[in-house]
């Protein structure tokens, strides 16, 4: 609970979700083709904090990339997808172990939905006594579901020790979760589990591996800019420079 509170306190100042009503607890936006971004909210002492996630509609069913942060929206998300697309959710990937990403594993497993994480995420969830994914996958795995192919990739430590990104090469869609900060972010936010030095290296790996993204979806706040990955690198470099400067002064 202390970790959740810390994350929320860092996000409060950054979120664009203030003033959302309970009628908008789940917001679904069309991204491109079969891709949809959905936004949910975490209520912390009356402040609603937003979190982005994504789903993909395929011929074989719908694939979720991260669960709603608000657990009251676990079922409404399934209902909304069924009503909108006339398909069932068949897979759910958690992009790291924090509750705004993997918090739905237990619920969706009970619904018969296949849940996935990398081994690092599984180990953290086990250590913390939380619900784990049914399937543990290698750090760099390619999936084909219906007409779509995507790559799940672990670039190294960053926002969290286990953060992964998902890449759709044909459509040039990058789903970054909390590994990528929004282009409107003023700082790196919650760093309780972060390794900022490694984050810089990990970002450069992603930039080298996945070229010319047309869409980049960060974990929080505005997702309409393609500058978010580069912006995250600049925030990381600024943080490291300020930290180094502080050490010199001391």
């Amino acid at each position: 609970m202390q970790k959740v509170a810390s994350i929320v306190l860092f996000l409060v100042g950054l979120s664009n979700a203030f003033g959302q009503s309970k009628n908008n607890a789940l917001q679904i936006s069309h991204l491109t083709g079969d891709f949809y971004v959905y936004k949910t909210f975490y209520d912390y002492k009356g402040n609603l904090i937003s979190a982005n996630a994504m789903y993909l509609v395929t011929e074989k069913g719908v694939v979720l990339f991260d669960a709603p942060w608000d657990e009251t929206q676990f079922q409404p998300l399934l209902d909304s997808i069924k009503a909108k697309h006339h398909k069932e959710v068949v897979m759910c990937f958690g992009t790291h172990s924090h509750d705004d990403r993997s918090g739905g594993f237990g619920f969706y497993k009970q619904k018969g939905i296949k849940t996935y994480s990398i081994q690092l995420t599984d180990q953290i969830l086990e250590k913390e006594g939380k619900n784990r994914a049914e399937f543990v996958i290698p750090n760099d795995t390619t999936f084909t579901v219906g007409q779509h192919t995507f790559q799940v990739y672990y670039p190294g430590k960053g926002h969290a020790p286990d953060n992964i990104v998902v890449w759709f090469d044909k459509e040039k869609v990058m789903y970054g979760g909390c590994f990528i900060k929004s282009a409107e972010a003023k700082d790196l936010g919650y760093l309780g589990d972060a390794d900022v030095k490694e984050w810089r290296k990990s970002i450069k790996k992603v930039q080298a591996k996945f070229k010319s993204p047309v869409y980049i979806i960060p974990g929080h706040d505005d997702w309409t800019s393609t500058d978010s990955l580069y912006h995250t690198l600049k925030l990381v470099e600024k943080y490291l420079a300020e930290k180094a400067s502080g050490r010199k002064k001391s």
Side-chain angles (χ1 to χ4, degrees), residues 2-15:
Q2 184 177 3
K3 181 185 290 186
V4 172
S6 298
I7 295 171
V8 170
L9 285 171
F10 273 106
L11 288 172
V12 164
L14 302 178
S15 177

Side-chain angles (χ1 to χ4, degrees), residues 139-151:
N139 287 349
D140 191 352
T141 308
T142 298
F143 290 84
T144 298
V145 185
Q147 74 277 33
H148 288 285
T149 297
F150 56 90
Q151 185 175 358

Side-chain angles (χ1 to χ4, degrees), residues 213-231:
V214 177
Y215 302 95
I216 303 176
I217 309 302
H220 298 276
D221 300 313
D222 182 69
W223 48 265
T224 59
S225 173
T226 57
D227 291 331
S228 51
L229 183 60
Y230 175 76
H231 179 67

Side-chain angles (χ1 to χ4, degrees), residues 1 11 13 17 23 38 52 84 94 105 133 159 166 169 179 207 228 234 244:
M1 186 61 195
L11 288 172
N23 293 331
Y38 74 90
N52 303 321
K84 186 177 183 68
F105 277 164
H159 165 78
V166 187
D169 189 62
F179 178 78
Q207 290 175 321
S228 51
K234 295 295 103 180

Side-chain angles (χ1 to χ4, degrees), residues 19-72:
Q20 293 288 343
S21 71
K22 291 184 179 180
N23 293 331
N24 294 320
L26 172 65
Q27 300 176 4
I28 298 175
S29 303
H30 182 235
L31 181 64
T32 183
D34 295 322
F35 296 81
Y36 293 80
V37 176
Y38 74 90
K39 187 185 293 286
T40 56
F41 305 89
Y42 185 88
D43 189 337
Y44 181 76
K45 296 184 177 180
N47 294 315
L48 293 179
I49 316 304
S50 69
N52 303 321
M54 190 175 79
Y55 69 81
L56 172 68
V57 181
T58 82
E59 296 166 351
K60 300 296 185 180
V62 174
V63 182
L64 292 183
F65 299 95
D66 291 328
W69 196 1
D70 177 2
E71 63 182 20
T72 70

Side-chain angles (χ1 to χ4, degrees), residues 4 18 63 70 78 90 109-110 121 142 144-145 152 154 173 176 186 188:
V4 172
F18 293 104
V63 182
D70 177 2
L78 301 184
V90 295
K109 282 170 67 177
Q110 289 181 344
T121 300
T142 298
T144 298
V145 185
V152 176
Y154 173 65
V173 171
K186 300 297 189 292
L188 293 174

